[in-house]
Amino acid sequence: MNNLQRLQMEVKGITLTDDEWNVYLVENGLTPIEAYDASSNINKKKLYQTALSVLESIANSPTSMKDYKIDDMTVSQFHENLMARIDQLQNKIDNLRTDEVDTSGSGIFMLYN
């Protein structure tokens, strides 16, 4: 399975062009045709960040914020459910341990000058 296939599995049901999928992956440091490495937390984190980017783009669409009625069935709260999924992904990203090294040299920042 490559990174593109894994991303499509993570955000199942979302239809984008191949170019759009590739842009999202490249923007998050992943190569679409490269094999997905499930044992690497860094790779997982990048994939989840890419899925988050896709979902945030959909959430920015004004048409996703309205209710739809299909065959006497109302599809409501799409936007609220989408935002809940975005929050879940953000928590998953924040809680995923990686072995990345902080290159700033310090864990302290200057709040006041």
Side-chain angles (χ1 to χ4, degrees), residues 5-111:
Q5 293 166 330
R6 177 60 181 94
L7 175 62
Q8 289 172 335
M9 190 172 82
E10 185 66 32
V11 291
K12 195 170 290 220
I14 295 175
T15 307
L16 298 173
T17 66
D18 288 340
D19 290 336
E20 290 171 326
W21 288 116
N22 291 341
V23 166
Y24 282 115
L25 285 163
V26 170
E27 284 179 347
N28 286 287
L30 294 170
T31 306
I33 58 172
E34 186 176 298
Y36 174 68
D37 183 10
S39 63
S40 168
N41 281 345
I42 294 172
N43 198 17
K44 283 182 193 176
K45 190 171 191 172
K46 287 180 180 181
L47 187 95
Y48 291 146
Q49 288 170 333
T50 306
L52 183 64
S53 296
V54 171
L55 294 177
E56 285 175 340
S57 293
I58 292 169
N60 286 331
S61 171
T63 58
S64 69
M65 296 181 198
K66 63 181 183 178
D67 293 342
Y68 296 94
K69 187 169 178 113
I70 302 169
D71 296 333
D72 297 332
M73 179 180 75
T74 303
V75 181
S76 61
Q77 298 178 332
F78 172 74
H79 192 260
E80 287 84 6
N81 293 333
L82 181 62
M83 295 308 292
R85 177 65 179 135
I86 287 172
D87 290 340
Q88 284 177 335
L89 264 176
Q90 188 63 54
N91 278 340
K92 191 181 279 190
I93 291 168
D94 292 343
N95 293 327
L96 191 62
R97 272 188 64 90
T98 58
D99 295 330
E100 294 176 3
V101 177
D102 183 15
T103 58
S104 67
S106 173
I108 300 172
F109 67 95
M110 297 294 291
L111 182 59

